[in-house]
Amino acid sequence: MTAGTSPRAPGAGSSTAQGSSRDAHRWEERVQRGAHPLVYPAFRALARRGPVVRVPGLGVVVNDAVTAREVLLDTEHFSKVGPGAPSDLWTPVLGPSVLLNMEGEDHATLRRALSGLFTPRSVAQLTATEAGASLGTLAPRLLAGGTVDLVQEVGALAGTVICRMTGLPPTDAAVRDAMVAAQSVVGLVRLHRRSLTPSQVRHAREVLGTLSEPARAAYRDGDPATVPGRMRGLGLSESEALGAVGAFVMTGTETIQSFTPRLVALAVDTGWMDRLLLAGPDDALRGRVVEEALRVTVPTPAMLRSVRSAHSVGAVPVRAGERVVIATVTCCRAGGAFDPARDADPALRNLWFGAGPHFCLGMPLAMAQVGAVLDALRPVATAGRSLRVAGREVARGVLIPSYRRLRIEAAASSSVPVEEAP
């Protein structure tokens, strides 16, 4: 298949689904509810009440993709800084200069300075270098009859890449342990709370403090190929650079570690896996399957904004200081079940990565790592084998819904026993 070819649904001549679309939906529901057993069902219920719903104690909830995009693009009336916004959550832990809690010219200046680290060429080179070492044995192990935990494999790649970008020593056991602990801080966030509790803030600072020495060394070294080095070049302080390292460590592995195993599980469950692996990096089919999986899994289940001045969200009037909760998960899932053969809805395109000046800076990095994992698994398909999910366990108490474990193996053919559906 060549670039520009439209994908078609699995059928004659394509792989047979290990499970079914219904099974895939059930597993995705389990993943969502494992992360948010109360909030996710509440979001689903709110979606039935209309595109924009005011919920006392929570905020104005947006369930419509068009309205969500309007809010994200309107930085005059809606901000990431203010009551109920991301700044309330992260500034006490990371300081004021970590992109996810910034607005205006300061945000634009820092984003421009860091953007060179995230160009498609830069992240492709970095990812290829690290993937060769961490994923090089993945297909041979599977073809030799082994079983692999894809969550662990993807996490190792993502952690190594973030270490390189932030100037942390990727082979330092203490740094790796601190990164795992720092990622757990993200799981403390709850949508019904506008900020972390004082004890949670203390815990988060203690965890991130473990990274202080290597991050400080990276800042003082001033290497422009690292986040701290770029920040030093901008004239930002050492403490601001340490906060940025903490932010990248906490968020830089979450998307890839959550999404890639869910992509593989969806593709196996619905019969798309063989064709996905046989598609090359520039093949339109690969891009469409990945995009559709992003829509279904929704890497950012919700986004927060604070109202800067009186305005309206859809038909709902809002006042300064109110909180807007964009329920990205319900906006995106309104597009229906996983189906790469269906034309993409323009209103939903990349909504899971945001829109406007806050569109996810790390999106090219995440996509490069997804591609690296698919490339590493491709020899399984070219050898005439099919991937099978041998077992899975849903993660609980996390912010980004994910699998805790996803064990995969190579089957002799695509006609393999169906894993028992939940």
Side-chain angles (χ1 to χ4, degrees):
M1 186 170 186
T2 59
T5 305
S6 298
R8 59 182 177 84
S14 65
S15 62
T16 301
Q18 173 179 311
S20 68
S21 294
R22 185 173 62 180
D23 291 344
H25 174 74
R26 288 175 176 172
W27 275 113
E28 272 299 308
E29 286 291 296
R30 289 191 68 182
V31 170
Q32 292 284 354
R33 290 172 185 268
H36 301 291
L38 300 178
V39 171
Y40 177 68
F43 272 0
R44 294 291 300 272
L46 287 171
R48 294 191 287 270
R49 290 176 54 187
V52 182
V53 182
R54 186 185 297 279
V55 181
L58 181 62
V60 175
V61 180
V62 179
N63 301 307
D64 170 69
V66 173
T67 307
R69 196 176 296 276
E70 289 173 353
V71 170
L72 294 173
L73 292 173
D74 186 355
T75 56
E76 178 183 352
H77 295 100
F78 306 101
S79 174
K80 295 189 81 170
V81 178
S87 59
D88 274 3
L89 287 167
W90 300 121
T91 300
V93 175
L94 301 168
S97 303
V98 293
L99 283 185
L100 53 80
N101 60 355
M102 298 174 72
E103 279 287 1
E105 188 55 38
D106 289 342
H107 172 268
T109 299
L110 181 55
R111 185 182 175 95
R112 282 195 299 269
L114 297 178
S115 62
L117 300 176
F118 293 91
T119 64
R121 175 178 291 184
S122 300
V123 297
Q125 292 174 343
L126 173 62
T127 300
T129 300
E130 302 304 336
S134 61
L135 300 178
T137 65
L138 188 55
R141 281 183 283 152
L142 290 167
L143 290 171
T147 301
V148 169
D149 179 5
L150 193 61
V151 174
Q152 181 178 345
E153 299 290 334
V154 172
L157 170 64
T160 300
V161 168
I162 287 298
C163 278
R164 295 294 186 196
M165 294 194 77
T166 56
L168 302 176
T171 58
D172 187 314
V175 167
R176 299 302 289 237
D177 290 345
M179 289 185 69
V180 172
Q183 291 156 28
S184 71
V185 171
V186 179
L188 300 175
V189 176
R190 295 292 180 267
L191 283 177
H192 62 278
R193 295 182 186 150
R194 292 176 177 252
S195 61
L196 299 177
T197 66
S199 62
Q200 288 173 332
V201 170
R202 286 194 299 272
H203 169 70
R205 286 176 173 172
E206 289 172 2
V207 167
L208 294 175
T210 311
L211 297 171
S212 294
E213 288 309 313
R216 185 174 289 112
Y219 176 83
R220 293 176 179 177
D221 182 55
D223 184 353
T226 69
V227 169
R230 293 274 175 124
M231 295 184 74
R232 179 178 177 177
L234 270 182
L236 294 170
S237 70
E238 185 173 278
S239 62
E240 288 173 320
L242 297 186
V245 168
F248 276 95
V249 166
M250 286 197 305
T251 63
T253 60
E254 286 291 305
T255 298
I256 181 70
Q257 197 162 355
S258 162
F259 172 67
T260 308
R262 291 169 74 186
L263 162 67
V264 169
L266 272 171
V268 169
D269 289 343
T270 56
W272 283 90
M273 193 74 245
D274 290 355
R275 295 181 67 221
L276 173 60
L277 291 185
L278 290 172
D282 298 322
D283 196 311
L285 183 141
R286 177 190 280 196
R288 181 67 192 110
V289 174
V290 170
E291 181 181 22
E292 176 68 351
L294 283 164
R295 182 192 66 78
V296 170
T297 61
V298 199
T300 310
M303 301 179 192
L304 305 177
R305 292 295 186 271
S306 181
V307 180
R308 305 180 86 165
S309 59
H311 198 57
S312 64
V313 179
V316 177
V318 292
R319 302 179 304 276
E322 285 198 276
R323 184 195 208 199
V324 177
V325 180
I326 297 173
T328 328
V329 66
T330 52
C331 292
C332 293
R333 287 198 158 195
F338 177 77
D339 183 6
R342 180 177 52 224
D343 290 338
D345 182 350
L348 293 174
R349 189 169 181 82
N350 286 328
L351 185 63
W352 43 87
F353 285 128
H358 292 287
F359 186 84
C360 179
L361 179 67
M363 188 270 279
L365 177 63
M367 294 301 93
Q369 292 180 74
V370 171
V373 175
L374 294 177
D375 289 342
L377 291 171
R378 194 167 191 254
V380 174
T382 58
R385 308 282 290 279
S386 294
L387 283 184
R388 176 183 186 273
V389 175
R392 44 186 143 186
E393 180 182 348
V394 169
R396 302 188 184 280
V398 294
L399 180 62
I400 308 299
S402 59
Y403 284 107
R404 186 167 181 264
R405 292 189 181 88
L406 186 81
R407 295 171 54 244
I408 58 172
E409 60 189 20
S413 73
S414 58
S415 299
V416 296
V418 176
E419 182 192 11
E420 184 178 351

